[in-house]
Amino acid sequence: MAKPPIVTTLSEIRELSATVKHFRFAFDPGAGFPFKAGQFLMLHVPKETDPPVRRAYSICSPPHDAGAVEIVVKRVEGGLASNYLFGLAPQTRVTVDGPYGAFVLPSPLPKHLVFVCTGTGIAPFRGQIQTLFKTGVGAATRLTLIFGVRYEDEVLYDGEWRALAAAHPNFRFIPTISRPRHTPAPWTGEVGYVQTKLAQHAPADPDTKVFICGLWDMISAVETTCLELGYPKKHIHYERYD
Ligand SMILES: Cc1cc2nc3c(=O)[nH]c(=O)nc-3n(C[C@H](O)[C@H](O)[C@H](O)COP(=O)(O)OP(=O)(O)OC[C@H]3O[C@@H](n4cnc5c(N)ncnc54)[C@H](O)[C@@H]3O)c2cc1C
């Protein structure tokens, strides 16, 4: 059942790549909703006559960032909600409702938590990884983020991930580029699809869990590889966008 609509103010828009933008929606004082890292909201696209169209977007900010929620959206050609968002000016009033979903951090944490995503599938993991470091994830828990994009300039929040990896020896950031252009500088990191990185960076272990987020073709390929590597199905969790 839909939750009550909440009118927010679009307080920040950041262009992250040619087709992806980051949006921050500030709640009015006393308004808003509590949520768990990894959950999603429903964005309302206003219609003059009919009820609004609602679309799901994973919240990419952590719950401790109270007073606002952030999302990261790819513009889809001809897409209703993504083009509505891309056309908005700062300070526009935007309606959302939520939170929804059970794609949340496991408790207790396993010894090794592996996050695998492509494109805007990074959204729930940004909130979750920020939450883990804010609440003081123990050094005994390893976190591995395997993030696939087509081109070098599509690695969303690249600076944030590199700063976290530099600050926390138990966090490994593995961007992998499927079609490197090698401009302006040669790409010296991983090349290829995310599922080809699992054997090396996330071998199966009884105390390792894999979280996957993005489009179904990628999720399915990652799940198949995990099963081949010996992961039990119950240690593989995913959120699909399509
Ligand atoms: C739980 C959940 C969380 C989600 N979180 C995010 C998120 O954090 N960021 C995000 O960008 N999206 C996310 N999505 C997808 C989002 O809900 C919309 O489906 C997406 O933004 C397209 O909506 P639209 O109204 O712009 O396009 P529509 O008007 O619905 O679709 C227009 C056309 O584009 C196609 N299409 C739809 N999505 C895609 C796509 N991703 N790539 C290529 N073609 C597509 C459709 O099949 C259709 O033909 C999430 C979906 C779910 C279910």
Side-chain angles (χ1 to χ4, degrees), residues 115-123 125 144-150 154-158 161 172-178 187 190 192-194 197 213:
F115 303 96
V116 186
C117 61
T118 51
T120 56
I122 195 72
F125 300 150
T144 300
L145 172 61
I146 302 176
F147 184 15
V149 291
R150 280 172 309 169
E154 294 181 334
V155 183
L156 309 173
Y157 309 109
D158 187 48
W161 303 124
R172 284 186 310 153
F173 172 49
I174 298 155
T176 179
I177 310 293
S178 58
W187 173 254
E190 299 277 354
Y193 292 129
V194 283
K197 307 300 156 192
C213 184

Side-chain angles (χ1 to χ4, degrees), residues 40 55-58 72-74 76 79-82 120 123 215 239-241:
F40 65 91
R55 288 280 191 274
Y57 291 101
S58 295
V72 55
V73 178
K74 180 186 167 74
V76 168
L80 185 73
S82 55
T120 56
L215 300 178
E239 181 85 289
R240 66 181 287 185
Y241 282 0

Side-chain angles (χ1 to χ4, degrees), residues 7 23 29 43 48 60 69 74 81 90 125 145 147-148 150 166 186 193 203 229:
V7 184
F23 301 88
L43 175 100
E48 262 174 30
C60 72
V69 278
K74 180 186 167 74
F125 300 150
L145 172 61
F147 184 15
R150 280 172 309 169
Y193 292 129
L229 289 173

Side-chain angles (χ1 to χ4, degrees), residues 19-21 38-43 45 53-60 70-86 100-101 103 119-124 213-215 239-242:
T19 56
V20 176
K21 284 188 182 179
Q39 288 191 295
F40 65 91
L41 56 73
M42 298 299 291
L43 175 100
V45 183
V53 171
R54 294 160 71 243
R55 288 280 191 274
Y57 291 101
S58 295
I59 301 169
C60 72
E70 298 177 346
I71 60 173
V72 55
V73 178
K74 180 186 167 74
R75 192 178 68 77
V76 168
E77 213 178 310
L80 185 73
S82 55
N83 283 286
Y84 160 71
L85 276 166
F86 272 56
Y100 300 95
F103 191 66
T120 56
I122 195 72
C213 184
L215 300 178
E239 181 85 289
R240 66 181 287 185
Y241 282 0
D242 60 340

